[in-house]
Amino acid sequence: MNWVIEDKPDVEGYALSDVLNRVIWGNCLEVMRKLPAEIADLVFVDPPYYLQLPKRKLIRWSGTVVEGVDESWDQFESFEEYDAFTEAWLTAVRRLMKPQATLWVIGTYHNIFRVGTILQDLGFWILNNVLWVKTNPVPNFRRVRFTNATETLLWVVKDKEVKSYTINFDQVKAFGMGKVGANVWQLPVCAGKERVKGEDGRKLHPTQKPERLLERVILSSSNPGDVVLDPMAGVGTTGVVAHRHGRRFILIEREPRYVAAIEQRLWPGIWSLSGE
Ligand SMILES: C[S@@+](CC[C@H](N)C(=O)[O-])C[C@H]1O[C@@H](n2cnc3c(N)ncnc32)[C@H](O)[C@@H]1O
């Protein structure tokens, strides 16, 4: 069984049955164009943050080097270029969402305000912003500002008229902070056994998300059997969690080293997948 589909220019389109419970290796802008409309019940996107880190090495006061996100996929020439990319993938995602589907986008202060403006301009309607408070953030190594310990998740529907989207309120309440289930999630960053390592023993992906974060997203806003799409899948955290909870998934990722990691991570344990 071929779990990884390599997207090629001569492929004009994919049927849903071709891509369910698969990872498509390719540029998500190209791939999403080739997928049928209204296939996803839930979409999770963890896009490049465009961190704009300085080119020089950052050294902690303790003398150790900070491992930032300096991968080529996080590089853009300007905010204009980043905004154009954001608008393109949001437009493509919108076409793939079923009418009652919801979309989650995660980001930091570097990008989330831009993403929020663009998605509102496209007609999406924001249901919530959920604040992920990291219980073990990287301290501010240069001691020049507050330690950044939060990321923001925007939870949105296609437009204001969408009312009967999936919300599993018991879980929403259980995951949220305090008795009222407020929109604050306290969780550690990804570490330990679930962190995917490269051959050199170091972390393979700089921004791998913790499974517990995806668990909250998927359990609160989808049902067993639903189709969960992640068009910039990294090392496949969304697919791992979706499968664990009986959801189907479609993953897209452009970098071959991450696609290989997704294959390792997902398929050794799920030979029973039918792919439908
Ligand atoms: C922030 S990371 C996602 C990490 C992921 N949530 C995880 O837990 O592993 C963003 C990913 O988007 C991928 N990416 C960026 N642009 C892409 C594009 N045009 N098509 C497909 N993947 C893309 C990058 O290679 C990177 O792995």
Side-chain angles (χ1 to χ4, degrees), residues 7 9 11-12 14 26-35:
D7 183 47
V11 176
E12 283 178 9
Y14 298 102
N27 181 343
C28 68
L29 298 179
E30 291 295 316
V31 175
M32 286 197 279
R33 204 172 44 75
K34 300 178 184 181
L35 293 173

Side-chain angles (χ1 to χ4, degrees), residues 47-48 76 81-91 114-116 118-119 122:
F76 294 82
E81 195 195 341
Y82 186 77
D83 292 353
F85 173 66
T86 303
E87 185 176 335
W89 70 253
L90 275 167
T91 304
R114 311 191 80 80
V115 173
I118 295 167
L119 65 80
L122 289 173

Side-chain angles (χ1 to χ4, degrees), residues 5-75:
I5 299 166
E6 182 184 350
D7 183 47
K8 299 207 169 108
D10 58 327
V11 176
E12 283 178 9
Y14 298 102
L16 178 58
S17 54
D18 296 337
V19 295
L20 272 182
N21 296 328
R22 298 283 183 275
V23 52
I24 309 167
W25 170 22
N27 181 343
C28 68
L29 298 179
E30 291 295 316
V31 175
M32 286 197 279
R33 204 172 44 75
K34 300 178 184 181
L35 293 173
E38 301 191 356
I39 53 173
D41 298 284
L42 178 69
V43 185
F44 177 81
V45 191
D46 180 11
Y49 290 6
Y50 185 28
L51 290 181
Q52 309 154 66
L53 289 175
K55 297 271 183 277
R56 65 194 159 76
K57 269 189 189 167
L58 291 176
I59 311 289
R60 292 188 182 89
W61 56 272
S62 60
T64 52
V65 178
V66 175
E67 287 185 44
V69 184
D70 54 7
E71 273 68 9
S72 58
W73 53 259
D74 201 56
Q75 315 284 334

Side-chain angles (χ1 to χ4, degrees), residues 1-230:
M1 182 65 77
N2 196 2
W3 305 109
V4 177
I5 299 166
E6 182 184 350
D7 183 47
K8 299 207 169 108
D10 58 327
V11 176
E12 283 178 9
Y14 298 102
L16 178 58
S17 54
D18 296 337
V19 295
L20 272 182
N21 296 328
R22 298 283 183 275
V23 52
I24 309 167
W25 170 22
N27 181 343
C28 68
L29 298 179
E30 291 295 316
V31 175
M32 286 197 279
R33 204 172 44 75
K34 300 178 184 181
L35 293 173
E38 301 191 356
I39 53 173
D41 298 284
L42 178 69
V43 185
F44 177 81
V45 191
D46 180 11
Y49 290 6
Y50 185 28
L51 290 181
Q52 309 154 66
L53 289 175
K55 297 271 183 277
R56 65 194 159 76
K57 269 189 189 167
L58 291 176
I59 311 289
R60 292 188 182 89
W61 56 272
S62 60
T64 52
V65 178
V66 175
E67 287 185 44
V69 184
D70 54 7
E71 273 68 9
S72 58
W73 53 259
D74 201 56
Q75 315 284 334
F76 294 82
E77 282 301 318
S78 59
F79 281 133
E80 286 72 24
E81 195 195 341
Y82 186 77
D83 292 353
F85 173 66
T86 303
E87 185 176 335
W89 70 253
L90 275 167
T91 304
V93 159
R94 200 155 193 264
R95 188 182 70 84
L96 300 183
M97 290 167 72
K98 291 183 184 172
Q100 306 300 323
T102 62
L103 159 69
W104 293 79
V105 188
I106 185 168
T108 55
Y109 70 89
H110 306 87
N111 69 328
I112 200 67
F113 301 108
R114 311 191 80 80
V115 173
T117 302
I118 295 167
L119 65 80
Q120 283 182 321
D121 287 348
L122 289 173
F124 287 98
W125 182 253
I126 301 180
L127 299 170
N128 271 132
N129 69 315
V130 173
L131 206 60
W132 169 25
V133 178
K134 300 173 184 175
T135 52
N136 54 347
V138 181
N140 183 255
F141 48 90
R142 288 197 296 159
R143 300 176 169 188
V144 291
R145 44 176 134 162
F146 293 99
T147 289
N148 259 315
T150 60
E151 297 201 21
T152 299
L153 296 103
L154 300 177
W155 186 34
V156 312
V157 284
K158 274 174 122 167
D159 60 64
K160 197 178 174 179
E161 305 315 317
V162 179
K163 302 290 180 212
S164 47
Y165 52 86
T166 298
I167 172 165
N168 298 320
F169 194 68
D170 287 350
Q171 266 140 356
V172 167
K173 225 176 139 194
F175 296 146
M177 200 173 72
K179 279 194 184 152
V180 292
N183 58 340
V184 179
W185 292 350
Q186 290 174 281
L187 288 172
V189 300
C190 181
K193 269 209 317 217
E194 72 173 90
R195 187 97 217 190
V196 177
K197 306 274 185 347
E199 278 172 8
D200 57 2
R202 294 152 72 105
K203 60 186 178 190
L204 182 71
H205 198 294
T207 68
Q208 181 184 342
K209 293 297 170 296
E211 291 176 15
R212 284 173 67 195
L213 184 80
L214 267 300
E215 224 132 46
R216 291 183 176 204
V217 166
I218 287 174
L219 293 179
S220 61
S221 58
S222 73
N223 294 311
D226 278 357
V227 174
V228 182
L229 167 71
D230 185 339

